[in-house]
Amino acid sequence: MEADVDFVYVPGQNGDCNNANTNVVFAVRPWNSGGACSFFPSGGGCVARTVVIDYNDLDTNPFYETNAPNMTTTGVVTHELGHVLGLRHEHVRAESGGTCVEGGEWRTLTRYDAGSTMHYPWCNGVMTSDLSITGFDALGARKLYGPNFGAPALWTGNFGHDAGGWRVEQHPRFMADVNNDGRDDVVGFGNAGVYVALSTGSSFSAPELWIGNYGHDAGGWRVEQHPRLLSDVNGDGRQDIVGFGNAGAYTSLSTGASFSRAELWVDNFGYDAGGWRVEQHPRLLADVNADGFADIVGFGNGGTYISLANP
C-alpha cells in the first residue's frame, strides 16, 4: 500500500461505464484521440470523471518507442491514477529544465524526482523509466492521504547537538515512560547525570536532573564501555535505569519524579565484572518469565545469560 487510498473495480457497472453513472467515482474507458488523459487537469480534451486511454496509440506510435522505450500501459494507467489523486506532472517544476511548460498552480510535496511516474520521460526525465511508482511518488501520496508522519515540531530546545551540547559518543538519549502516565518521556544521560523531560502529549517539560549519576562526568560512565538502558524492573509501570558499569549492573528505580540511588543488583554483565564489552556482548532488558519484571539478557562469549529481576 503506497497510501491510504483504495481503487475498487466494480465490474457490475461495466454496462454503464460513463461519467453519468453515479454508482462509480470515475469511469475508465478506451478512446482514439491519442495517449491517455484523466479528469485532472481538466483541460486538454480530458473527459470529466473519466480516465481515457488510447491503447493502440500507446502500442504503435513511434514517438513513444523513441522517447519512452520502456513505458508500459500499466505505467500509463498508474500515471493517470496519480492525476486522479490530484498530482500534477513532475516536469512542471523548474528542476526539469522547462522543456515541457504547463500552466496552473501546484505545490511541492517531495524533492524533485526525474524518475517519477508523473514525469514524462521525454521532458528531461529518465528515458528508461517505465512509469513505475517511485519512493518519492509514494511519499507524496502518503502526505496527501496518509499514512504518514506529520511535519516536524520542536517540543523542547534541549537534548540536541547545538541545543545543550549533547554528543552521540558521550550522551545516550532514550524515550521511556518514567512516570506511568502512558506517555514516553525524554531520558538523557548528560555530563552531570540523568535528565528527564516529561511529555505533556504536545511538548516536553523543561529538563530536570533526576539523578546525579550514570553521566559522563557524574560517575564516569562511557558509551564505549557502559551501556545504559531503561525498563520496568519492579512492575510499578514506571521505567527504571539499569546501567552496566565496571562492577556489574546497577539499578535506579523511578519514583515518577526522580530516580533512586544507584544500587548494584548483580556483580556481573560489567566491564570488569565478567569482562563484558560493548562491541562484543549485547545486553538487553526483557521480561523472560512473564512475572511483570524486566530481566537482564546478556549475549556473552559462552551464549545467552539471563539474570531474573527480584525487586
Side-chain angles (χ1 to χ4, degrees):
M1 182 181 70
E2 305 299 349
D4 195 12
V5 177
D6 292 320
F7 291 104
V8 180
Y9 169 48
V10 187
Q13 300 299 319
N14 285 345
D16 190 21
C17 185
N18 59 71
N19 58 11
N21 184 350
T22 58
N23 293 314
V24 296
V25 177
F26 65 93
V28 180
R29 297 179 56 87
W31 75 342
N32 57 9
S33 297
C37 196
S38 69
F39 52 92
F40 177 86
S42 58
C46 296
V47 182
R49 293 183 57 240
T50 310
V51 174
V52 290
I53 304 174
D54 189 333
Y55 293 100
N56 181 67
D57 179 57
L58 293 173
D59 290 339
T60 62
N61 192 326
F63 174 85
Y64 299 120
E65 180 65 28
T66 301
N67 295 284
N70 294 333
M71 188 176 72
T72 66
T73 302
T74 298
V76 172
V77 172
T78 302
H79 174 99
E80 297 305 329
L81 291 178
H83 284 316
V84 170
L85 294 179
L87 302 178
R88 288 293 304 270
H89 285 138
E90 185 75 358
H91 49 263
V92 303
R93 298 174 60 158
E95 295 96 324
S96 71
T99 301
C100 301
V101 178
E102 296 180 7
E105 297 181 354
W106 58 275
R107 67 181 178 90
T108 298
L109 291 173
T110 70
R111 77 182 193 189
Y112 174 67
D113 180 12
S116 168
T117 188
M118 303 309 298
H119 200 307
Y120 289 166
W122 55 89
C123 294
N124 280 342
V126 177
M127 289 295 293
T128 57
S129 171
D130 62 0
L131 297 186
S132 293
I133 294 173
T134 69
F136 285 114
D137 291 329
L139 176 59
R142 284 193 293 269
K143 284 188 174 182
L144 291 175
Y145 297 98
N148 58 38
F149 289 110
L154 185 66
W155 276 31
T156 181
N158 208 313
F159 301 103
H161 186 273
D162 298 331
W166 294 73
R167 298 293 183 266
V168 169
E169 66 275 12
Q170 295 182 3
H171 311 123
R173 283 145 285 179
F174 297 92
M175 300 300 299
D177 183 2
V178 296
N179 62 346
N180 195 25
D181 65 356
R183 298 187 288 256
D184 282 349
D185 314 296
V186 179
V187 181
F189 295 83
N191 289 324
V194 183
Y195 292 86
V196 172
L198 298 176
S199 173
T200 68
S202 59
S203 65
F204 293 115
S205 64
E208 295 183 356
L209 185 66
W210 276 32
I211 184 173
N213 204 328
Y214 302 101
H216 188 271
D217 298 333
W221 293 71
R222 297 293 181 265
V223 167
E224 65 275 13
Q225 296 181 0
H226 310 125
R228 282 145 284 178
L229 302 174
L230 289 112
S231 195
D232 183 6
V233 299
N234 64 344
D236 65 357
R238 299 187 289 259
Q239 297 199 42
D240 313 296
I241 295 172
V242 177
F244 298 91
N246 290 324
Y250 292 85
T251 297
S252 286
L253 300 176
S254 173
T255 69
S258 65
F259 290 114
S260 66
R261 178 176 58 87
E263 296 182 352
L264 185 65
W265 275 32
V266 61
D267 57 350
N268 207 315
F269 302 101
Y271 191 84
D272 297 329
W276 294 71
R277 297 294 181 265
V278 167
E279 67 276 12
Q280 295 181 6
H281 310 124
R283 282 145 284 178
L284 304 174
L285 299 174
D287 183 1
V288 298
N289 61 346
D291 63 357
F293 311 134
D295 312 297
I296 295 174
V297 182
F299 300 91
N301 289 326
T304 306
Y305 295 86
I306 301 292
S307 187
L308 297 177
N310 298 299

